[in-house]
Amino acid sequence: MNHFSKIAVAAAGIMLVAADTPGQRSGRFAPTDGGLVGITKAVIDLGGASPPQAADFDVFANFTARDFGTTRSLGLVKIVTPTRGIKIRDVVAENGYRFLDVGAKGALVDASIERVRATGLIRSFARIRGDSHDIVIRDVDATFSAQPAERPHLPGGIQIDGTAHDILIERVAIRGAKMRVEKGKYTNGDGFSTERNNAGIVFRDTAADDNSDGGYDLKSTATRLENVRAARNGRNYRFWGTGEATTITSENPSSAHIWTGQGANWRIGKLIVRSTTRAPVIRLEGQGVLRIDDYDIRVPAGTPMVIDESKGMAKIDWGRRGPPPGL
């Protein structure tokens, strides 16, 4: 059964497609005060169901959305005012700008996004802002368009900003957030990112692959990584804020496996590194502390273990095991 509710749409409405009916059927929802906005020009496949009527449900499930926006203002689901209890699950999203956008004046509270497969993304899978909290994002597979993004569209898989806190991201894979390289300009493109005013973000069994900047770019406090992986990003892990990790795995970055910036204070239970290139294992910039209790590092001979660009302000503690041989 397909439940759609609390939807306000722009004048053109949302295009609906029923799989068992030739051609397309369109439906328009009357605006309500729920704060949830379904952006126009999306094609939604209801799998044979009739176009739903606006009703006081909070579950959005079992549908396919295609071609949901190609400009910076468009996405599939946009939260414009504080909204509680929304559940989005069992969705296929194809070719769109952004799947979920929580506006700066909105907030998403006590919500879940589960079992979503997104392909052909342009800007992001989700941008979560405002004082959003108590959110679960679980079992999501999100892949970007093969065409690298161009300015001003800076790509990022899951972007957490504002004062958002207490969010669980579990069994989520982000792939291919890439920008076209321009001489003299920074190349963005993170798998997962958090900002300074975020706290209590947990990543569990997640993966960030083939993104042009950071796999995990984390400025938040009290961040936790549990059995996570990053492969073939610019810098697989970018640590700025504070946090702890159980086991993290890093494979074949182009610039560094771990990078630390100003204010970083992180403890890693076990660091697993695999590489066929000589990208440095750790690159230090700015004042910070990195503690690594255990490690399993397999890299080509001659790979720099640590490059310290912090002018001595950063510290690495290798725990009871001590530093790797040859350091």
Side-chain angles (χ1 to χ4, degrees), residues 173-224:
I174 303 292
R175 302 182 184 90
K178 293 184 177 181
M179 282 197 70
R180 185 170 65 86
V181 177
E182 297 181 68
K183 185 177 180 180
K185 295 184 179 181
Y186 191 84
T187 303
N188 293 87
D190 298 324
F192 303 95
S193 64
T194 63
E195 301 300 330
R196 296 283 186 187
N197 291 325
N198 303 133
I201 314 300
V202 177
F203 298 87
R204 180 180 297 152
D205 299 318
T206 55
D209 299 341
D210 303 300
N211 305 292
S212 55
D213 191 8
Y216 299 79
D217 189 330
L218 307 176
K219 301 181 180 72
S220 48
T221 59
T223 309
R224 183 170 174 83

Coordinates of all heavy atoms in Angstrom, one line a residue, residues 173-224:
A173 N 25.7 3.0 1.6 CA 26.9 3.1 0.7 C 26.7 4.4 -0.2 O 25.6 4.5 -0.8 CB 27.0 1.9 -0.1
I174 N 27.7 5.2 -0.3 CA 27.7 6.4 -1.2 C 28.8 6.2 -2.2 O 30.0 5.9 -1.8 CB 27.9 7.7 -0.4 CG1 26.9 7.8 0.7 CG2 28.0 8.9 -1.3 CD1 25.5 8.1 0.2
R175 N 28.5 6.4 -3.4 CA 29.5 6.2 -4.5 C 29.5 7.3 -5.5 O 28.4 7.7 -5.9 CB 29.2 4.9 -5.2 CG 29.2 3.6 -4.4 CD 29.0 2.4 -5.2 NE 28.9 1.2 -4.4 CZ 27.7 0.7 -3.9 NH1 26.6 1.4 -4.2 NH2 27.7 -0.4 -3.2
G176 N 30.6 7.8 -5.9 CA 30.8 8.6 -7.1 C 30.4 10.1 -7.0 O 30.0 10.6 -8.0
A177 N 30.5 10.7 -5.8 CA 30.2 12.1 -5.7 C 31.5 12.8 -6.2 O 32.4 13.1 -5.5 CB 29.9 12.5 -4.3
K178 N 31.5 13.2 -7.5 CA 32.7 13.8 -8.1 C 32.4 15.1 -8.8 O 31.3 15.4 -9.3 CB 33.2 12.8 -9.1 CG 33.8 11.5 -8.6 CD 34.4 10.7 -9.6 CE 35.0 9.4 -9.1 NZ 35.6 8.5 -10.1
M179 N 33.4 16.0 -8.7 CA 33.4 17.2 -9.5 C 34.4 17.3 -10.6 O 35.4 16.6 -10.5 CB 33.7 18.4 -8.5 CG 32.6 18.8 -7.6 SD 32.9 20.4 -6.9 CE 32.7 21.5 -8.3
R180 N 34.0 18.0 -11.6 CA 35.0 18.2 -12.7 C 36.2 19.1 -12.1 O 36.0 20.1 -11.5 CB 34.4 19.0 -13.8 CG 35.3 19.1 -15.0 CD 34.5 19.6 -16.2 NE 34.0 21.0 -16.0 CZ 34.7 22.1 -16.2 NH1 35.9 22.1 -16.7 NH2 34.1 23.3 -16.0
V181 N 37.4 18.6 -12.4 CA 38.6 19.3 -11.9 C 38.8 20.6 -12.6 O 38.8 20.6 -13.9 CB 39.8 18.4 -12.0 CG1 41.1 19.1 -11.5 CG2 39.6 17.1 -11.1
E182 N 39.0 21.7 -11.9 CA 39.3 23.0 -12.5 C 40.6 23.5 -12.0 O 40.8 23.5 -10.7 CB 38.1 24.0 -12.3 CG 36.8 23.6 -12.9 CD 35.7 24.6 -12.6 OE1 35.8 25.7 -13.1 OE2 34.8 24.3 -11.8
K183 N 41.4 24.0 -12.8 CA 42.7 24.5 -12.4 C 42.5 25.6 -11.4 O 41.8 26.6 -11.7 CB 43.6 24.9 -13.6 CG 45.0 25.3 -13.2 CD 45.8 25.6 -14.4 CE 47.2 26.0 -14.1 NZ 48.0 26.4 -15.3
G184 N 43.2 25.6 -10.2 CA 43.2 26.6 -9.3 C 42.0 26.7 -8.4 O 41.8 27.6 -7.5
K185 N 41.1 25.7 -8.5 CA 39.9 25.6 -7.7 C 39.8 24.3 -6.9 O 40.2 23.3 -7.4 CB 38.6 25.8 -8.6 CG 38.5 27.2 -9.2 CD 37.2 27.4 -10.0 CE 37.1 28.7 -10.6 NZ 35.9 28.9 -11.3
Y186 N 39.2 24.4 -5.7 CA 39.2 23.2 -4.9 C 38.1 22.2 -5.5 O 37.0 22.6 -5.9 CB 38.7 23.6 -3.5 CG 38.9 22.5 -2.5 CD1 40.1 22.2 -1.9 CD2 37.8 21.6 -2.2 CE1 40.3 21.2 -1.0 CE2 37.9 20.6 -1.3 CZ 39.2 20.4 -0.7 OH 39.3 19.3 0.2
T187 N 38.5 21.0 -5.5 CA 37.6 19.9 -6.0 C 36.8 19.3 -4.8 O 37.4 18.5 -4.0 CB 38.4 18.8 -6.7 OG1 39.2 19.4 -7.8 CG2 37.5 17.8 -7.3
N188 N 35.6 19.6 -4.7 CA 34.7 19.1 -3.7 C 34.2 17.7 -4.1 O 34.5 17.2 -5.2 CB 33.5 20.0 -3.4 CG 33.9 21.3 -2.8 OD1 34.3 22.2 -3.5 ND2 33.9 21.3 -1.5
G189 N 33.4 17.1 -3.2 CA 32.8 15.8 -3.5 C 33.1 14.8 -2.3 O 34.0 14.0 -2.4
D190 N 32.2 14.9 -1.3 CA 32.4 14.0 -0.1 C 31.3 12.9 -0.1 O 30.2 13.1 -0.5 CB 32.3 14.8 1.2 CG 33.4 15.8 1.3 OD1 34.5 15.6 0.9 OD2 33.1 16.9 1.9
G191 N 31.7 11.7 0.4 CA 30.7 10.7 0.6 C 29.7 11.1 1.7 O 28.5 11.2 1.6
F192 N 30.3 11.3 2.9 CA 29.6 11.8 4.1 C 30.3 13.0 4.7 O 31.5 13.0 4.8 CB 29.6 10.7 5.2 CG 29.0 9.3 4.8 CD1 29.8 8.3 4.3 CD2 27.6 9.1 4.8 CE1 29.3 7.1 3.9 CE2 27.1 7.9 4.4 CZ 28.0 6.9 3.9
S193 N 29.5 14.0 5.1 CA 30.1 15.2 5.8 C 29.3 15.7 6.9 O 28.0 15.6 6.9 CB 30.3 16.3 4.7 OG 29.0 16.7 4.2
T194 N 29.9 16.2 7.9 CA 29.3 16.8 9.1 C 30.0 18.1 9.4 O 31.2 18.3 9.0 CB 29.3 15.9 10.3 OG1 30.7 15.7 10.7 CG2 28.7 14.6 10.1
E195 N 29.3 19.0 10.1 CA 29.9 20.4 10.3 C 30.1 20.6 11.8 O 29.7 19.8 12.7 CB 29.0 21.4 9.7 CG 28.8 21.3 8.2 CD 30.1 21.4 7.4 OE1 31.0 22.1 7.9 OE2 30.2 20.8 6.3
R196 N 30.7 21.7 12.2 CA 31.1 22.0 13.5 C 30.0 22.0 14.5 O 30.2 21.6 15.7 CB 31.8 23.4 13.6 CG 33.1 23.5 12.8 CD 34.3 22.8 13.4 NE 35.5 23.1 12.7 CZ 36.7 22.5 13.0 NH1 36.7 21.6 14.0 NH2 37.7 22.7 12.3
N197 N 28.8 22.4 14.2 CA 27.7 22.4 15.1 C 26.9 21.2 15.2 O 25.8 21.1 15.9 CB 26.8 23.6 14.8 CG 27.5 25.0 15.1 OD1 28.3 25.1 16.0 ND2 27.2 26.0 14.2
N198 N 27.3 20.1 14.6 CA 26.7 18.8 14.7 C 27.3 18.0 15.8 O 28.5 18.1 16.1 CB 26.8 18.1 13.3 CG 26.2 18.9 12.2 OD1 26.8 18.9 11.1 ND2 25.0 19.5 12.3
A199 N 26.5 17.1 16.3 CA 27.0 16.2 17.4 C 26.2 14.9 17.4 O 25.1 14.8 17.0 CB 26.9 16.9 18.8
G200 N 26.9 13.9 17.9 CA 26.2 12.6 18.1 C 25.8 11.9 16.9 O 24.8 11.2 16.8
I201 N 26.7 11.9 15.8 CA 26.4 11.3 14.6 C 27.1 9.9 14.6 O 28.3 9.9 14.8 CB 26.9 12.1 13.4 CG1 26.4 13.6 13.5 CG2 26.4 11.5 12.1 CD1 24.9 13.8 13.6
V202 N 26.4 8.9 14.3 CA 26.9 7.5 14.3 C 26.9 6.9 12.9 O 25.8 6.9 12.3 CB 26.2 6.6 15.3 CG1 26.7 5.2 15.2 CG2 26.2 7.1 16.7
F203 N 28.0 6.4 12.4 CA 28.1 5.7 11.2 C 28.4 4.3 11.5 O 29.4 4.0 12.1 CB 29.2 6.3 10.3 CG 29.0 7.8 9.9 CD1 29.5 8.8 10.8 CD2 28.4 8.1 8.8 CE1 29.3 10.1 10.5 CE2 28.3 9.5 8.4 CZ 28.7 10.5 9.3
R204 N 27.5 3.4 11.0 CA 27.7 2.0 11.3 C 27.6 1.1 10.1 O 26.6 1.2 9.3 CB 26.6 1.5 12.3 CG 26.7 0.0 12.7 CD 25.5 -0.3 13.7 NE 25.7 0.5 14.9 CZ 24.7 0.9 15.7 NH1 23.4 0.6 15.4 NH2 24.9 1.6 16.8
D205 N 28.6 0.4 9.8 CA 28.7 -0.5 8.6 C 28.4 0.3 7.3 O 27.5 -0.1 6.5 CB 27.7 -1.6 8.7 CG 28.0 -2.5 9.9 OD1 29.1 -2.8 10.1 OD2 27.0 -2.9 10.7
T206 N 29.1 1.4 7.2 CA 28.9 2.3 6.0 C 30.1 2.2 5.1 O 31.2 1.8 5.5 CB 28.6 3.7 6.4 OG1 29.7 4.2 7.3 CG2 27.3 3.9 7.2
A207 N 29.9 2.7 3.8 CA 31.0 2.7 2.9 C 30.9 4.0 2.0 O 29.8 4.4 1.6 CB 30.9 1.5 2.0
A208 N 32.1 4.5 1.7 CA 32.2 5.7 0.9 C 33.3 5.4 -0.2 O 34.4 5.3 0.2 CB 32.6 6.9 1.7
D209 N 32.8 5.3 -1.4 CA 33.7 4.9 -2.5 C 33.7 5.9 -3.6 O 32.7 6.4 -4.0 CB 33.4 3.5 -3.0 CG 33.4 2.4 -2.0 OD1 34.1 2.6 -1.0 OD2 32.8 1.4 -2.2
D210 N 34.9 6.1 -4.2 CA 35.0 6.8 -5.5 C 34.5 8.3 -5.5 O 33.9 8.7 -6.5 CB 34.3 6.0 -6.6 CG 34.9 4.6 -6.7 OD1 36.1 4.5 -7.0 OD2 34.2 3.6 -6.6
N211 N 34.7 9.0 -4.4 CA 34.3 10.4 -4.3 C 35.5 11.2 -4.5 O 36.6 10.9 -4.0 CB 33.6 10.6 -2.9 CG 32.5 9.7 -2.7 OD1 31.4 9.8 -3.4 ND2 32.6 8.8 -1.8
S212 N 35.4 12.4 -5.1 CA 36.6 13.2 -5.5 C 37.3 13.9 -4.3 O 38.5 14.2 -4.4 CB 36.2 14.2 -6.6 OG 35.2 15.0 -6.2
D213 N 36.6 14.1 -3.2 CA 37.3 14.7 -2.0 C 37.4 13.7 -0.9 O 38.1 12.8 -0.9 CB 36.6 16.0 -1.6 CG 37.4 16.9 -0.6 OD1 38.5 16.5 -0.4 OD2 36.8 17.8 -0.1
G214 N 36.6 13.9 0.2 CA 36.7 13.0 1.3 C 35.6 11.9 1.2 O 34.5 12.1 0.8
G215 N 36.1 10.7 1.7 CA 35.1 9.7 1.9 C 34.2 10.1 3.1 O 33.0 10.1 3.0
Y216 N 34.8 10.4 4.2 CA 34.2 10.9 5.4 C 34.9 12.2 5.8 O 36.1 12.2 6.1 CB 34.3 9.9 6.6 CG 33.7 8.5 6.4 CD1 34.3 7.6 5.6 CD2 32.5 8.2 6.9 CE1 33.8 6.3 5.4 CE2 31.9 7.0 6.7 CZ 32.6 6.0 5.9 OH 32.0 4.8 5.7
D217 N 34.2 13.3 5.8 CA 34.7 14.6 6.1 C 33.9 15.1 7.3 O 32.8 15.6 7.2 CB 34.5 15.6 4.9 CG 35.2 16.9 5.1 OD1 35.4 17.3 6.3 OD2 35.6 17.5 4.1
L218 N 34.6 14.9 8.5 CA 33.8 15.0 9.8 C 34.4 16.1 10.6 O 35.5 16.0 11.2 CB 33.9 13.6 10.5 CG 33.4 12.4 9.6 CD1 33.6 11.1 10.4 CD2 32.0 12.6 9.2
K219 N 33.5 17.1 10.8 CA 33.9 18.3 11.7 C 33.1 18.2 13.0 O 33.3 19.1 13.9 CB 33.6 19.6 11.0 CG 34.4 19.8 9.7 CD 34.1 21.1 9.1 CE 34.9 21.4 7.8 NZ 34.4 20.5 6.7
S220 N 32.2 17.3 13.1 CA 31.3 17.3 14.3 C 31.9 16.8 15.5 O 33.1 16.3 15.5 CB 30.1 16.3 13.9 OG 30.5 15.1 13.4
T221 N 31.2 16.9 16.7 CA 31.7 16.4 18.0 C 31.0 15.1 18.3 O 29.9 14.9 17.9 CB 31.6 17.4 19.1 OG1 30.2 17.8 19.2 CG2 32.4 18.7 18.7
A222 N 31.7 14.3 19.2 CA 31.1 13.1 19.7 C 30.6 12.2 18.5 O 29.5 11.6 18.6 CB 29.9 13.3 20.6
T223 N 31.4 12.1 17.5 CA 31.1 11.3 16.3 C 31.6 9.9 16.5 O 32.6 9.7 17.2 CB 31.8 11.9 15.1 OG1 31.4 13.3 15.0 CG2 31.3 11.2 13.8
R224 N 30.9 8.9 16.0 CA 31.3 7.5 16.2 C 31.3 6.8 14.9 O 30.3 6.9 14.1 CB 30.4 6.8 17.2 CG 30.9 5.4 17.5 CD 30.1 4.8 18.7 NE 30.4 3.4 18.9 CZ 31.5 2.9 19.6 NH1 32.4 3.8 20.1 NH2 31.7 1.6 19.7

